[in-house]
């Protein structure tokens, strides 16, 4: 599905039908909907991109800026001339963030941007932390002290919330 609100696109492909990772046909389909200068756009991936050399190259060749947030090991070459936020690429294995979920990595980047812009994170944390908790269960990561802490934090928010509090 592709949703365009206030010039923000979110693309969540059907993983069963399309498989894992970025696909060239998705890029062509979705970037065709953008009617402005691609150099004014930032494409942010969540839980993919480290191994998607060709699709990312297409984006770069068109002129898009790309920020990859991921947690998968590189299977060889990685995309060039992009920002990659991936603990398995940038950190040693003994770092507590090395084995975290892709959702955790994206949330951490988002929180860093909010902090840099001096924006309040309180309401966003209530929405994002439960998603990070669910990703810890679904993303096949090793449970560490950090992931256990994140999971408990998110589950506690879910337990004390009503469905109406989540848009």
């Amino acid at each position: 599905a592709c949703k365009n609100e206030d010039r923000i696109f979110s693309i969540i492909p059907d993983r069963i039908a399309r498989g894992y990772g970025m696909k060239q046909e998705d890029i062509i389909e979705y970037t065709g909907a953008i009617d402005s200068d691609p150099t004014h756009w930032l494409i942010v991936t969540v839980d993919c991109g480290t191994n998607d050399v060709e699709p990312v190259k297409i984006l770069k060749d068109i002129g898009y800026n790309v920020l990859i947030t991921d947690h998968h090991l590189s299977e060889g070459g990685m995309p060039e001339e992009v920002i990659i936020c991936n603990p398995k690429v940038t950190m040693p294995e003994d770092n507590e963030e090395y084995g975290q979920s892709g959702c955790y990595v994206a949330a951490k980047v988002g929180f860093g941007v909010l902090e840099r812009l001096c924006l309040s994170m309180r309401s966003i944390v209530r929405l994002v932390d439960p998603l990070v908790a669910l990703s810890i269960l679904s993303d096949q990561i090793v449970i560490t002290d950090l992931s256990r802490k994140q999971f408990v934090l998110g589950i506690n928010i879910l337990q004390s919330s009503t469905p109406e509090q989540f848009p």
Side-chain angles (χ1 to χ4, degrees), residues 27-96:
I27 290 168
I28 292 165
E29 177 182 346
Y30 295 121
T31 58
I34 299 173
D35 61 359
S36 63
D37 183 349
T39 62
H40 298 165
W41 285 81
L42 174 64
I43 306 290
V44 180
T45 73
V46 177
D47 199 14
C48 67
T50 299
N51 293 300
D52 297 316
V53 176
E54 281 306 310
V56 172
K57 184 178 182 323
I58 291 171
L59 289 170
K60 291 298 296 173
D61 288 348
I62 293 171
Y64 291 101
N65 299 294
V66 180
L67 167 61
I68 293 171
T69 67
D70 200 353
H71 72 124
H72 296 97
L73 288 169
S74 171
E75 296 172 357
M78 290 190 304
E80 297 178 1
E81 299 179 25
V82 298
I83 300 168
I84 299 177
C85 297
N86 181 339
K88 289 185 179 167
V89 170
T90 60
M91 297 180 173
E93 286 185 40
D94 61 350
N95 185 292
E96 68 178 351

Side-chain angles (χ1 to χ4, degrees), residues 62-145:
I62 293 171
Y64 291 101
N65 299 294
V66 180
L67 167 61
I68 293 171
T69 67
D70 200 353
H71 72 124
H72 296 97
L73 288 169
S74 171
E75 296 172 357
M78 290 190 304
E80 297 178 1
E81 299 179 25
V82 298
I83 300 168
I84 299 177
C85 297
N86 181 339
K88 289 185 179 167
V89 170
T90 60
M91 297 180 173
E93 286 185 40
D94 61 350
N95 185 292
E96 68 178 351
E97 294 192 348
Y98 179 85
Q100 299 308 307
S101 70
C103 182
Y104 173 88
V105 175
K108 193 85 164 160
V109 169
F111 290 151
V113 169
L114 292 173
E115 185 175 43
R116 182 80 172 134
L117 295 173
C118 300
L119 298 174
S120 171
M121 291 189 277
R122 175 172 280 162
S123 62
I124 293 171
V125 166
R126 288 198 56 82
L127 294 173
V128 173
D129 278 354
L131 297 175
V132 172
L134 295 174
S135 78
I136 288 168
L137 286 178
S138 63
D139 216 359
Q140 302 175 353
I141 66 165
V142 174
I143 301 298
T144 63
D145 288 342

